Amino acid sequence: MDKEKFNERICRIIWHDALQQSIKPLSWGIDFSSIKVIDKGTEFKFQTQTVMGKIRIRYSEGTGLFNVTVRLDNNEDSPIIMKDIDLKRLVSLIDRNIKYRVPVEHGVAV
């Protein structure tokens, strides 16, 4: 299988088998026009009531698990990184890390 088809397959697995199996991602304010296939995964923008940013989910061939990076627009220097996550826990861990995050502006919680 060529690399482009492999990446599309992984992206479909993430969306079909994890993100679309829960109603939680609906509360993330996903910008559906921002969804794209990336190397071994997917990336998209989100905006909850308190924070906005970008989520990148990538498959790790070595472990068979997924790595997630959340970059908040107001805190580009400190991404939230979650490693070795199985599909069953993917949504709940992302939800926990973005839904209740307190926005930070210029180093001060608002």
Side-chain angles (χ1 to χ4, degrees):
M1 180 181 310
D2 71 18
K3 187 173 182 156
E4 187 175 320
K5 286 185 180 182
F6 178 75
N7 291 338
E8 287 176 10
R9 182 171 170 250
I10 295 298
C11 181
R12 277 193 214 106
I13 288 169
I14 293 167
W15 280 97
H16 182 267
D17 295 353
L19 299 176
Q20 293 177 341
Q21 297 300 316
S22 173
I23 62 169
K24 287 180 182 180
L26 295 175
S27 69
W28 301 345
I30 295 172
D31 176 357
F32 290 98
S33 66
S34 72
I35 296 171
K36 62 182 173 178
V37 176
I38 61 170
D39 183 38
K40 300 178 191 158
T42 187
E43 179 180 275
F44 55 91
K45 293 179 182 179
F46 71 95
Q47 181 174 353
T48 69
Q49 291 181 352
T50 57
V51 295
M52 67 173 84
K54 187 183 292 184
I55 296 173
R56 176 176 283 192
I57 305 169
R58 295 187 67 208
Y59 176 69
S60 172
E61 291 181 83
T63 63
L65 300 171
F66 294 85
N67 298 321
V68 178
T69 302
V70 178
R71 293 196 176 277
L72 302 177
D73 283 355
N74 59 359
N75 196 2
E76 283 291 320
D77 294 336
S78 300
I80 301 162
I81 298 172
M82 298 169 271
K83 293 187 176 197
D84 300 329
I85 302 168
D86 61 52
L87 277 176
K88 291 179 183 177
R89 296 181 331 142
L90 196 64
V91 170
S92 62
L93 287 175
I94 292 171
D95 192 63
R96 187 176 315 138
N97 278 279
I98 67 169
K99 199 167 183 183
Y100 305 106
R101 183 73 54 181
V102 174
V104 176
E105 193 169 303
H106 306 293
V108 178
V110 290

